[in-house]
Amino acid sequence: MLTQLYIDNIAVIERAAIDFEPGFTVLTGETGAGKSIIIDAIYAVLGERTSRELIRTGADQACVSALFTGIAPQTEAVLREFGIPLEEDGSLLIRREIRQHGKSSCKLNNFPATVSMLKTVGATLIDILGQHESYKLLAPETHGDYIDSFAGTKPLLGEYRAAYKALRELRDALEALETDEGQKARRMDILRYQIEELEAAQLRVGEQAELTEKRDEIRNSERILRGVSEAAALLQGDEDTDGAVTAVTVAADALEQAARFAPSLSDLSQRVRDAEYALSDAAADVSDYLDNAQFDLSALDEMESRLEVIYRLSLKYGETEAEMLDFLEKARSELSDIEFSDEKRALLEAQYEEKKCEAVALAKQLSSKRRAACESFSRRVKAELAELNMPGVSFSVEQVRTPLTNFGCDRIQFLVSANAGEEPKPMSKIASGGELSRIMLAINTVLSDTGMTETQIFDEIDTGISGEAANKVGLKLRGVSKNAQVICVTHLAQIAAMADNHLYIVKREEKGKTFTDVCALDHAARVREIARIIGGDDITPLKLKMAEEMLQRNEGEA
C-alpha cells in the first residue's frame, strides 16, 4: 500500500508529507485547493509523462517521493528483473526529481532508474481511475491479465508460456538452418579456411606476452649486461676499491664494537648487520645472473616472425589468444551444424511438432477457461452497474481467436455501450470521465479480491451523480477497500462520510504567494468538513447535525 507521499515544489504545493492509512481514504477541499495536483504528483512518481510546468514558480526543481509497504509478489518480481532489492523492512521508495534545467532523475530504493522502469513498477502498485488518459483498465493488453486473475488461470498461463518460449526457440533454430545449398557451400569454405588457419598457428594463451618480453630482453641485451656488470662492481668492488658489501660489513663491525659500551646501539648495530646480509645475498644473485646470462640473438628473427603471425591473426579473430581460440571453437561448431544440418533439421522438426502440439493444447485449455470466466465476469459487472444506477450502460468481454502469442490463442478486451441501443465500443472510446470512472469502479469491485493492484485511486468518480447513486458509489468504494487500499478525491458528502480516513486540502495565501496544505481530520473536523460539503461555507447547526448523523450511520454500518 501507499504509506507516504512527499511533495516538494509541485505547483502550489511548496512542501507536503502526506501519510496514508489502509482502508478507504477520501481527499476533500474547496475547488482549486490542489486536489488534482496531488493526483498529478502521484502520476509523476509512477513514471507518467510530465512537464516542467509542474515545478512551482520560482523553484529550480520539484521532487515527489512515494513510500510503499507490504509489497506484493508481482511487484517484487518486476524489481528482481531490474536488479532492485527491497529495503530490509520490505518497503519500496520511489523518487522522481524534475529540473528546470538539466536532466531529471528517478530512483527506486536509491538505485538509479529510468522513467520507463518507474512506469513498469508503478503499474503493479497503483491503479488510478480518473480524468487522465492513462488508466490501466483502458489498455486492452491488460484486460486479459484481469480475466486470468479472475479465472485463476495464471499457473496454466505460466505453463503455456514455458511451452511457447521453447516452441519459438525451436522455430528460430530451424530458421537458422534454412539457407540454400550455394550459401551453405560458401559458408563452409570460409569456415574451413578459418579453422585451418587458426589450427595451424597452434595458439597458446599468454604466448604473445611471453615472446614480447623475451624479444625485448634480447634487443636490449647490451644495456642489460652493462647495467648488471656495473652493479656487480659497485657491490663487490675490485682490486683497487672495496665494494658496498665490504663497506657495510666494516660499518656493522664498528657498530658492534661500540655497542659493547653503549647497549642502546645494539638495535642499530643489528639493523646494519641485517643490511649486510641482504646486500651480500643481492650481490651473489647479481653475480649469478652475469655467469648464467644468455641472449640468443639468432632466435630474435624467429620470435619476430611468430609475433607477426599472432598479430596478423588477432586482426581477424580477436585481440587475445583466448578470444582467437574461442572464435576457433565457434567456427568448428558452426561447421558441424552445417555439415549435419539435414540430420539436425529432422530432429528439430520433430521436436517442434511435439512442442507445438503441447502449446496448442495448453492454449485451448486457457481459452476454454477464459471463455467461461468472461461470461461470469460480464454478468457480475453488469450487476454492479445496475446497483450503481447505470441501467443504460452495457458491458461485455470480447474474446477473439488469434494465432499463438505469448498470451495464448486469444485477444481479450472489455467493450462498453454508454447508452441503450448503441454499439459496444472499447473502453478507451468512452468520453465521460465520471461515467468511465463508475464503470471502472464496477469492474474493480468484481476484481477487488484478485490482488491485481494493492492501491486504487479514484478521481472524478462522483461527476454528475448525487443522492442514492452517490450512496451506492460510496458503498462500492468501501467494499473494494476491504481487499485493497482505496483513495478517492470527492466532492460529495455521502462518499466522504463513508471513508475510514479523511484528508483535507486547503489553499492559503501568504506574502503574495499561494500555498496548499494537506491535513488529516479528526472526527470533529470531519463533521465540519462534511457540513461544508453539504451546504457551502455557511455552516449551520442543522448542517452539522446532518453531517454528524451521516458519520455515525456509516461508522455503524462499517
Side-chain angles (χ1 to χ4, degrees), residues 11 17 49 101 207 230 250 262 372 385 409 412 428 435 450 495 525 550:
R49 182 177 297 177
H101 308 285
E207 181 183 7
E230 184 178 349
V250 172
L385 289 172
C409 60
I412 292 175
S428 58
E435 190 174 59
T450 65
I495 294 176
M550 290 176 69

Side-chain angles (χ1 to χ4, degrees), residues 497-528:
M498 291 190 187
D500 303 308
N501 319 291
H502 195 147
L503 297 175
Y504 179 61
I505 295 90
V506 59
K507 184 166 65 175
R508 59 183 172 83
E509 290 188 9
E510 185 178 313
K511 296 180 180 180
K513 292 184 178 181
T514 303
F515 298 86
T516 289
D517 299 320
V518 182
C519 53
L521 302 183
D522 59 16
H523 182 85
R526 287 190 71 183
V527 171
R528 291 192 62 82

Side-chain angles (χ1 to χ4, degrees), residues 442-554:
I443 293 172
N444 273 39
T445 301
V446 176
L447 293 170
S448 62
D449 60 352
T450 65
M452 287 293 289
T453 48
E454 301 301 311
T455 299
Q456 298 179 13
I457 298 177
F458 295 85
D459 183 25
E460 209 182 61
I461 197 169
D462 54 14
T463 301
I465 64 169
S466 59
E468 185 59 25
N471 280 325
K472 290 183 176 180
V473 167
L475 288 170
K476 293 298 179 188
L477 289 169
R478 192 160 68 185
V480 172
S481 73
K482 303 301 180 185
N483 295 297
Q485 182 188 35
V486 172
I487 300 169
C488 178
V489 177
T490 186
H491 303 87
L492 294 179
Q494 295 98 317
I495 294 176
M498 291 190 187
D500 303 308
N501 319 291
H502 195 147
L503 297 175
Y504 179 61
I505 295 90
V506 59
K507 184 166 65 175
R508 59 183 172 83
E509 290 188 9
E510 185 178 313
K511 296 180 180 180
K513 292 184 178 181
T514 303
F515 298 86
T516 289
D517 299 320
V518 182
C519 53
L521 302 183
D522 59 16
H523 182 85
R526 287 190 71 183
V527 171
R528 291 192 62 82
E529 171 60 3
I530 291 171
R532 182 196 66 78
I533 296 172
I534 291 172
D537 293 332
D538 183 19
I539 299 175
T540 64
L542 178 59
K543 293 174 185 174
L544 289 171
K545 182 180 179 183
M546 291 172 61
E548 180 68 49
E549 289 175 351
M550 290 176 69
L551 277 175
Q552 289 181 353
R553 181 172 64 253
N554 290 318

